[in-house]
Amino acid sequence: MNTLIKAIAALAAVISLNVSAFAADDDFSGKTMCVFGDSYVANHLRPYTEAWHSKVAERMGMKYINFGRNGSSIAFDRSKEGFGREMTERYKELPDSIDILLVIAGHNDADWVAKYGGWDKFTKSLDTLS
């Protein structure tokens, strides 16, 4: 639980743009953090190494895996549009060696919930990822 509290505190500090305050911590050093999601994870139009989560991993001495995909949706397959399969399928490709998994998603589902599949499909997909 103490490690979880430290992780939440680290992420909260990054949001306030105080990344430089963190140095490698023995609780996190050498751990593998995977960030899974959509363009917020992929850091749309910028290198993902400039994203806040990449900087946290680096400062905390963690290995970093970016599993973000622009246009990705939690519940809806967007392959025909070039955005790939839904996250409920993509998560199966995550490596087993992950110590910390951060999911940032749902932004691309908003319009699709109303147009295709509805709320039930979306909430069932959330259950799949939990």
Side-chain angles (χ1 to χ4, degrees):
M1 188 61 134
N2 192 22
T3 301
L4 177 61
I5 292 169
K6 286 183 180 182
I8 292 169
L11 293 174
V14 171
I15 291 171
S16 69
L17 301 177
N18 194 10
V19 177
S20 62
F22 290 93
D25 184 309
D26 288 340
D27 288 342
F28 297 103
S29 186
K31 301 278 188 191
T32 299
M33 178 173 79
C34 178
V35 186
F36 178 69
D38 54 26
S39 59
Y40 280 67
V41 175
N43 210 29
H44 182 66
L45 299 180
R46 301 294 305 161
Y48 69 81
T49 54
E50 293 179 4
W52 64 266
H53 33 82
S54 174
K55 292 178 180 187
V56 167
E58 182 180 351
R59 292 280 182 182
M60 301 298 283
M62 293 187 281
K63 297 173 190 165
Y64 175 75
I65 300 171
N66 186 298
F67 228 82
R69 182 167 182 138
N70 290 338
S72 187
S73 169
I74 292 172
F76 304 98
D77 185 346
R78 298 189 66 198
S79 297
K80 292 180 183 175
E81 300 167 284
F83 297 120
R85 297 182 338 240
E86 60 270 40
M87 290 180 208
T88 54
E89 291 299 318
R90 288 196 318 118
Y91 88 93
K92 297 172 185 175
E93 300 167 11
L94 294 173
D96 292 332
S97 60
I98 297 169
D99 297 303
I100 299 168
L101 176 64
L102 176 61
V103 179
I104 304 172
H107 309 97
N108 297 310
D109 288 88
D111 288 338
W112 286 76
V113 166
K115 293 178 187 175
Y116 311 99
W119 189 250
D120 287 341
K121 180 174 181 158
F122 178 73
T123 56
K124 286 178 185 173
S125 295
L126 290 175
D127 289 341
T128 300
L129 291 178
S130 62

